[in-house]
């Protein structure tokens, strides 16, 4: 079983910074894309940023220039550096990973973390 454990959420004032981390554990062959999504009350879950195994990134327009996504050498940990935070960034942030369970797997299986709260006060 694969688990994603997030850390780093909290309360910060507008203009401040936070860093989220997510570590994957368990028996697996390879993790393809990792990313962060967020969900504010009353809203649908939305993509924040993703990073592929080759390091290519995709960020939503709302966070470009403020957030950076990175992945460590093991490819099992992903981080989201959030700068110049705004009140509209307030949400529960979820880590996501597309996992190939076995060497012969062709389709990544989606896994989600439990979510971490980020609150930005004005």
């Amino acid at each position: 079983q694969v688990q994603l454990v997030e850390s780093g959420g909290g309360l910060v004032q507008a203009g401040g910074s936070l860093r989220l981390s997510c570590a994957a554990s368990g028996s697996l062959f390879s993790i393809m894309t990792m990313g962060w999504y967020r969900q504010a009350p009353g809203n649908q879950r939305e993509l924040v940023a993703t990073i592929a195994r080759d390091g290519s990134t995709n960020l939503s327009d709302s966070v470009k220039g403020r957030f950076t996504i990175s992945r460590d050498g093991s490819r099992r940990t992903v981080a989201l550096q959030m700068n110049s935070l705004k009140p509209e960034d307030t949400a529960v942030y979820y880590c996501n990973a597309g996992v190939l369970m076995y060497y012969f797997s062709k389709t990544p299986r989606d896994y989600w973390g439990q979510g971490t709260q980020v609150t930005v006060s004005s």
Side-chain angles (χ1 to χ4, degrees), residues 21-60:
S21 292
C22 171
S25 63
S27 178
L28 55 91
F29 175 66
S30 178
I31 301 177
M32 304 308 287
T33 298
M34 298 188 80
W36 292 93
Y37 292 71
R38 67 187 181 188
Q39 187 167 18
N43 290 356
Q44 290 188 333
R45 190 173 297 188
E46 63 176 5
L47 179 145
V48 177
T50 60
I51 182 166
R53 188 168 178 81
D54 65 1
S56 58
T57 62
N58 177 41
L59 282 81
S60 71

Side-chain angles (χ1 to χ4, degrees), residues 48 58-67:
V48 177
N58 177 41
L59 282 81
S60 71
D61 289 343
S62 62
V63 306
K64 280 180 183 175
R66 300 187 298 123
F67 291 11

Side-chain angles (χ1 to χ4, degrees), residues 3-16:
Q3 285 190 318
L4 300 179
V5 179
E6 300 137 336
S7 61
L11 173 64
V12 66
Q13 287 190 331

Side-chain angles (χ1 to χ4, degrees), residues 48-101:
V48 177
T50 60
I51 182 166
R53 188 168 178 81
D54 65 1
S56 58
T57 62
N58 177 41
L59 282 81
S60 71
D61 289 343
S62 62
V63 306
K64 280 180 183 175
R66 300 187 298 123
F67 291 11
T68 303
I69 188 169
S70 61
R71 203 162 162 179
D72 75 341
S74 74
R75 301 292 188 266
R76 287 200 176 206
T77 300
V78 63
L80 185 70
Q81 178 66 41
M82 305 185 293
N83 299 328
S84 302
L85 282 160
K86 304 176 181 179
E88 51 263 44
D89 294 318
T90 296
V92 177
Y93 284 68
Y94 295 91
C95 177
N96 172 266
V99 177
L100 292 178
M101 299 300 295

